[in-house]
Amino acid sequence: MAEKQTETVNSTFHGGDDDHNYLYSQFFAAFNGVKRWASTTIFLFFCMLFLGAFFFRIDVSIIRDNFLIGTRRPIEFPLECPEKGTPITCKANYPEVSSPSSSPVAACPDYFRWIHEDLRPWKDTGISRETVENAKRFATFRLVIINGTAYLERYHRSFQTRDLFTLWGILQLLRLYPGKVPDLELMFQCGDMPEIQKNDYQGENATLPPPLLFQYSGNDATYAVTFPDWSFWGWAEVNIRPWKNMIEAIKKGAKKKKWKNRKPYAYWKGNPYVSPNRGDLLRCNVSDKQDWNARLYVQDWVKEVKQGYKHSKLEDQCDHRYKIYIEGRAWSVSDKYIIACDSMTLMVKPVYYDFFLRSLMPLQHYWPISTQNKCPDIKFAVQWGNSHPDKAQAIGKEGTKFIEEDMKMENIYAYMLHLLNEYAKLLKFKPEIPKGRVEVLCAESMACNEGGLVRNFLEESMVLSPSTSPPCNMPPPYDHSTLQHLFEEKENITRKIEMWENDWQHFNKGNSKN
């Protein structure tokens, strides 16, 4: 009986009769033959590919990415320097036009709207050649871009290597978005202080429009078109790496110690001799007579360079709950590094701004500190934060989130691209290559003669391939009422904090009398 059941099951599976069994056997025999043929063919195909890679120097990784994995990796164009004694020539193999995907992209961060505000003084008149030439007396260099090639007319060297890394950043923009940067001609100043004073171009006898100068910072009393500073591509003199890798190092450093386990004080370390404002900050340091809840340290850069930058690593400076931002001679590049630390930033009221600082909000991204009342303000801010740890930590996290997300390097390049496009739209003249001594900028001409940290940072920040996606979408300009509301909101929040501090001081005085 058991044998009969087994026979029935087998008959059902195989078809139940000899004809079906024969057909199935023929089918499977043919199928197995095709499988053997296909396997052999595929094996021989990949043998040929890898033999070609060996004999003809085909990049095996490209074979792997394009055929085995099914994804296509962008072709990279690294720096190729000639041997010593051989003339440096610009390579001609880089794409002249990029073809990014047409996939939808997000809106740019809100700070892009300040591009419209910086260019507003020339919106109605446009930008004439005279407007550009009138800024020459302040400029470090003239930059001309024609058909995707950058030309440099240098007027003087900047402090340290600011001009080199700024120009390198612009060259990387051209490499990231080939064919997308319009023809233009501009003047750039690499100093700290904004130069074009509004008072010189106001009143009955004023000549308008004012000169147009690209700079790192501006203030309410000047006309300035703000541009990302040189340190985004590296600051070799103080061993600060390019931004993409520096922000990752700071993120790792911030994770070493949880906020609640950090030192419950306000931290600052820097050069106090560049401005009276910083010198005055040192009064707030802890002493035998007074503790303002601040721990302040002087950075001796001469000594630090000799010791190999052992005590100036930014990623090691995230062990306090609060960090102080204070301007130097003008604005300070330290703003982004300080805010990135996941500590609540205590921002001594700035006079100057860079391209993103104007979009930060008090009590959302930072805690405001007055210039005239630094020490009591710092003491209260720390006292408030330690009494409201969740709120203080939230402010620090929100500031860091802004830096990590809105200040990604792709957004920095997008800002540069949109700024230059909006600027070029206003030009009323055709850009021309300057006559006389002109430098043509390319990766080889800028980097191959450099060495040490400068060379390392240039290569580290080099764009190797055109972007495979378009930049973020440019937001519209502020209307007058929105901008006015923004200023009023900042002022109201600052006044509210001053009221909190006054109440706190009165409460402490009352308790001390009792």
Side-chain angles (χ1 to χ4, degrees):
M1 188 67 176
E3 293 177 358
K4 183 66 175 177
Q5 287 177 345
T6 305
E7 181 180 344
T8 304
V9 171
N10 288 338
S11 297
T12 302
F13 179 76
H14 290 294
D17 54 54
D18 291 341
D19 291 338
H20 282 87
N21 288 340
Y22 174 77
L23 291 173
Y24 274 111
S25 63
Q26 291 295 99
F27 170 78
F28 283 116
F31 177 74
N32 289 331
V34 170
K35 275 176 46 179
R36 287 193 296 271
W37 175 85
S39 299
T40 304
T41 303
I42 293 171
F43 175 76
L44 291 173
F45 173 72
F46 281 107
C47 283
M48 293 173 64
L49 284 176
F50 284 98
L51 284 172
F54 179 80
F55 288 108
F56 300 104
R57 301 183 184 276
I58 300 172
D59 190 347
V60 176
S61 65
I62 293 177
I63 297 172
R64 180 195 65 216
D65 289 349
N66 289 344
F67 294 98
L68 298 184
I69 300 176
T71 58
R72 191 170 187 83
R73 190 178 65 180
I75 299 174
E76 294 185 349
F77 299 86
L79 184 68
E80 295 182 7
C81 294
E83 297 180 1
K84 284 188 177 181
T86 305
I88 296 174
T89 56
C90 294
K91 301 294 182 182
N93 61 337
Y94 201 84
E96 295 182 359
V97 179
S98 64
S99 300
S101 66
S102 57
S103 57
V105 292
C108 297
D110 212 46
Y111 66 84
F112 280 58
R113 301 177 78 176
W114 292 102
I115 289 174
H116 301 291
E117 297 308 310
D118 283 354
L119 293 173
R120 191 174 294 280
W122 300 274
K123 182 179 179 181
D124 295 332
T125 62
I127 301 168
S128 66
R129 176 165 292 283
E130 182 182 16
T131 300
V132 174
E133 294 296 337
N134 285 341
K136 182 177 178 179
R137 67 184 187 275
F138 305 109
T140 307
F141 59 79
R142 180 200 306 264
L143 175 73
V144 178
I145 296 175
I146 296 178
N147 294 329
T149 299
Y151 303 88
L152 172 69
E153 183 180 36
R154 193 188 303 274
Y155 302 126
H156 60 81
R157 287 285 179 180
S158 68
F159 177 64
Q160 297 180 339
T161 49
R162 294 183 178 191
D163 53 353
L164 172 65
F165 280 96
T166 298
L167 290 164
W168 180 257
I170 295 169
L171 180 61
Q172 302 321 299
L173 175 68
L174 292 170
R175 290 172 65 87
L176 186 65
Y177 294 113
K180 304 300 182 183
V181 181
D183 290 359
L184 55 83
E185 194 170 334
L186 60 82
M187 296 291 180
F188 202 109
Q189 200 261 92
C190 295
D192 288 325
M193 305 294 292
E195 297 284 359
I196 313 298
Q197 303 298 318
K198 287 182 178 179
N199 285 340
D200 295 339
Y201 300 92
Q202 294 176 346
E204 295 181 0
N205 299 323
T207 56
L208 290 174
L212 194 153
L213 188 65
F214 281 72
Q215 302 185 259
Y216 304 128
S217 73
N219 63 18
D220 293 340
T222 59
Y223 296 110
V225 178
T226 55
F227 197 85
D229 69 82
W230 72 95
S231 66
F232 283 98
W233 298 274
W235 190 357
E237 288 80 8
V238 294
N239 194 35
I240 293 179
R241 296 175 68 188
W243 177 241
K244 185 176 181 179
N245 292 325
M246 192 70 254
I247 184 62
E248 289 301 318
I250 294 175
K251 283 169 65 176
K252 290 180 181 178
K255 291 178 181 178
K256 290 180 180 178
K257 190 173 288 188
K258 293 182 179 179
W259 192 90
K260 64 180 182 179
N261 297 328
R262 297 182 185 185
K263 298 171 186 176
Y265 303 105
Y267 173 92
W268 180 81
K269 188 173 187 178
N271 180 2
Y273 308 115
V274 294
S275 72
N277 197 23
R278 284 191 176 182
D280 185 57
L281 176 66
L282 293 183
R283 295 188 303 105
C284 308
N285 217 346
V286 62
S287 67
D288 296 337
K289 297 179 180 180
Q290 181 64 267
D291 188 353
W292 297 107
N293 290 333
R295 301 296 184 262
L296 313 173
Y297 303 90
V298 175
Q299 181 69 71
D300 185 342
W301 282 112
V302 175
K303 183 178 179 181
E304 189 62 18
V305 171
K306 292 179 180 178
Q307 294 182 349
Y309 307 102
K310 293 180 180 179
H311 308 290
S312 59
K313 293 181 179 178
L314 299 177
E315 59 267 38
D316 295 339
Q317 298 179 16
C318 298
D319 57 353
H320 289 68
R321 293 181 184 177
Y322 315 93
K323 292 196 71 176
I324 299 171
Y325 168 73
I326 186 168
E327 294 177 329
R329 189 161 175 255
W331 126 101
S332 171
V333 298
S334 64
D335 54 8
K336 55 185 178 290
Y337 307 115
I338 289 171
I339 301 170
C341 240
D342 214 20
S343 304
M344 186 171 85
T345 300
L346 309 185
M347 186 175 293
V348 181
K349 186 177 182 179
V351 175
Y352 302 90
Y353 52 77
D354 58 15
F355 70 102
F356 73 87
L357 205 58
R358 289 168 284 183
S359 284
L360 300 182
M361 292 295 294
L363 284 192
Q364 180 184 351
H365 302 106
Y366 68 91
W367 182 283
I369 302 294
S370 68
T371 306
Q372 293 76 24
N373 204 42
K374 294 185 187 73
C375 302
D377 282 7
I378 291 171
K379 186 177 181 69
F380 172 69
V382 172
Q383 190 86 12
W384 182 90
N386 290 337
S387 301
H388 304 81
D390 292 341
K391 293 180 180 179
Q393 189 176 6
I395 294 172
K397 284 187 175 298
E398 195 65 24
T400 299
K401 181 182 177 183
F402 176 91
I403 295 296
E404 290 180 358
E405 295 183 4
D406 290 357
M407 297 287 291
K408 291 178 181 178
M409 203 62 211
E410 52 261 39
N411 283 335
I412 305 305
Y413 283 122
Y415 186 95
M416 295 162 62
L417 181 64
H418 284 306
L419 171 58
L420 294 180
N421 268 301
E422 295 300 318
Y423 170 79
K425 289 176 186 177
L426 298 175
L427 292 180
K428 298 169 63 178
F429 64 95
K430 185 177 181 180
E432 298 177 353
I433 301 173
K435 297 178 181 178
R437 189 175 180 181
V438 177
E439 301 174 41
V440 180
L441 302 183
C442 68
E444 293 76 22
S445 68
M446 293 195 69
C448 288
N449 283 329
E450 302 295 338
L453 282 179
V454 172
R455 173 67 172 271
N456 291 343
F457 290 169
L458 291 177
E459 291 202 47
E460 189 175 313
S461 61
M462 185 172 177
V463 170
L464 297 177
S465 304
S467 176
T468 57
S469 59
C472 58
N473 290 323
M474 181 71 171
Y478 288 110
D479 57 63
H480 179 73
S481 60
T482 302
L483 200 56
Q484 192 64 31
H485 175 74
L486 181 66
F487 294 142
E488 290 175 357
E489 186 178 4
K490 285 187 177 184
E491 193 63 34
N492 290 338
I493 294 173
T494 302
R495 280 199 296 265
K496 181 168 69 173
I497 293 174
E498 290 173 356
M499 291 173 61
W500 292 351
E501 184 174 349
N502 289 334
D503 292 343
W504 175 72
Q505 289 176 346
H506 288 313
F507 177 77
N508 285 341
K509 286 180 181 179
N511 284 344
S512 63
K513 289 179 182 179
N514 294 333

